Amino acid sequence: MTLIDGPFAMPLAALAAVLLDRLFGEVRRFHPLVGFGTLAAAIERRLNRRTIAGGVLGWALAVLPWVALALALRPFAPFAVDVLLLYFSLGARSLCEHAEAVARPLREGRLDEARQRVGWIVSRETSALDESGVAKAGVESVLENGNDAIFGALFWFALFGGPGALLFRLANTLDAMWGYRTERYNLYGRWAARFDDVLNWLPARLTALSYALLGRWRDALACWRAQAPGWESPNAGPVMAAGAGSLGVQCGGAAIYHGREEIRPPLGCGPAPVAADLGRAITLIRRSLWLWLAVLFLIGALHA
């Protein structure tokens, strides 16, 4: 028995995938998820008749063949397949780079550039945001996407290896593409949205717990308990409330989506975020990632 087929195979594969992501980030050309998005869009154009059944069929056609292929290939080279699938499923470096691309011009007083950059990672309108509004949008995005881009994939990887991480990433991508309550997607995208909610339920709460443990944990747990139920999303609420509480900043509040102002429940406690808090949010994400890897190695040691 060697390290890559013993009890440490899973944590070592996770570490290797994280290091690949840290060194190379997302593939710049021919990224598999870009091709998947193109395929999913083509399927949606053919099958979207504004029905739930059509959405279930479209989801199955987009996701299941790739998961089946991963399961078929994995027995031939388990470690290599797991590393590659988790690497393609992670977005830690990309998330941190996008956040830093907002924080840098904000620190240097280039508000227009910061507004444009944060507009690339959030769905709200950003053209009229002040410095605090840009920082708030950035912090919220970093905290929420920590679960979507990193910890959800790691959770399902720990349970089912590379195919588990792939299932999570593809399902999360379809939720991002189809999971809207618009006339076009309200019925067709409902399965994609609900399935993503189910996959994210436990990872989101483990992510929230990680944020709490690595910051102001009393405030994080109090904000999680009091504020998360007020959020429409069952998973984003705990993640962002605990994260904002851990950082000691106040997020939530008014935001403009599709030309209409929405008053959202508060998140966290303390002053409104500033540019430096984006850097603190990135640090919280990175520390949480190393915490998760440490836990995976501890699990391996217990099974050795």
Side-chain angles (χ1 to χ4, degrees):
M1 180 183 295
T2 65
L3 282 175
I4 64 171
D5 59 11
F8 289 101
M10 183 266 292
L12 283 172
L15 176 61
V18 168
L19 292 177
L20 285 175
D21 178 74
R22 186 70 177 267
L23 288 172
F24 302 111
E26 292 186 345
V27 179
R28 301 300 181 184
R29 300 180 62 187
F30 308 114
H31 195 292
L33 284 181
V34 176
F36 174 77
T38 302
L39 172 64
I43 290 173
E44 186 267 335
R45 287 194 297 270
R46 295 295 298 272
L47 296 182
N48 189 353
R49 299 296 181 267
R50 307 326 196 240
T51 65
I52 294 176
V56 173
L57 177 60
W59 187 97
L61 289 174
V63 173
L64 296 185
W66 303 109
V67 176
L69 179 62
L71 288 169
L73 291 176
R74 189 170 185 262
F76 295 100
F79 187 82
V81 169
D82 279 352
V83 170
L84 287 176
L85 288 176
L86 182 58
Y87 166 56
F88 286 129
S89 299
L90 289 174
R93 175 170 168 173
S94 176
L95 175 61
C96 294
E97 286 176 346
H98 279 96
E100 181 57 32
V102 177
R104 188 181 305 110
L106 197 60
R107 288 194 302 266
E108 297 171 359
R110 305 195 308 272
L111 183 56
D112 286 341
E113 181 181 348
R115 287 169 175 160
Q116 181 186 41
R117 294 283 189 169
V118 80
W120 294 354
I121 60 173
V122 300
S123 57
R124 74 193 69 174
E125 295 180 17
T126 62
S127 58
L129 292 179
D130 59 12
E131 178 183 349
S132 178
V134 171
K136 180 193 298 184
V139 167
E140 290 178 7
S141 180
V142 169
L143 294 174
E144 182 177 8
N145 282 295
N147 180 68
D148 291 342
I150 305 171
F151 304 114
L154 272 175
F155 175 84
W156 288 104
F157 176 82
L159 290 183
F160 300 113
L166 178 66
L167 173 64
F168 174 83
R169 172 52 56 216
L170 298 185
N172 188 254
T173 301
L174 288 188
D175 175 56
M177 294 179 66
W178 299 349
Y180 298 99
R181 292 186 176 180
T182 61
E183 181 180 353
R184 178 171 181 171
Y185 293 114
N186 185 42
L187 294 177
Y188 183 84
R190 190 166 299 181
W191 169 260
R194 294 295 176 266
F195 194 85
D196 183 70
D197 284 344
V198 171
L199 287 182
N200 261 310
W201 193 90
L202 187 52
R205 281 145 185 83
L206 292 175
T207 300
L209 180 60
S210 303
Y211 291 166
L213 291 173
L214 295 171
R216 298 169 53 170
W217 65 274
R218 292 182 185 275
D219 288 340
L221 295 177
C223 293
W224 178 358
R225 182 173 57 251
Q227 298 169 349
W231 276 75
E232 183 177 6
S233 169
N235 299 320
V239 169
M240 293 195 294
S246 178
L247 294 172
V249 296
Q250 178 81 59
C251 294
I256 298 176
Y257 295 90
H258 310 294
R260 185 176 63 184
E261 185 179 62
E262 295 185 14
I263 305 299
R264 306 167 305 153
L267 289 168
C269 56
V274 296
D277 293 314
L278 264 170
R280 295 174 59 230
I282 295 171
T283 298
L284 181 62
I285 293 289
R286 287 174 171 160
R287 288 177 176 172
S288 297
L289 176 54
W290 291 115
L291 174 63
W292 278 57
L293 289 174
V295 170
L296 294 183
F297 273 96
L298 177 60
I299 293 171
L302 292 175
H303 286 85

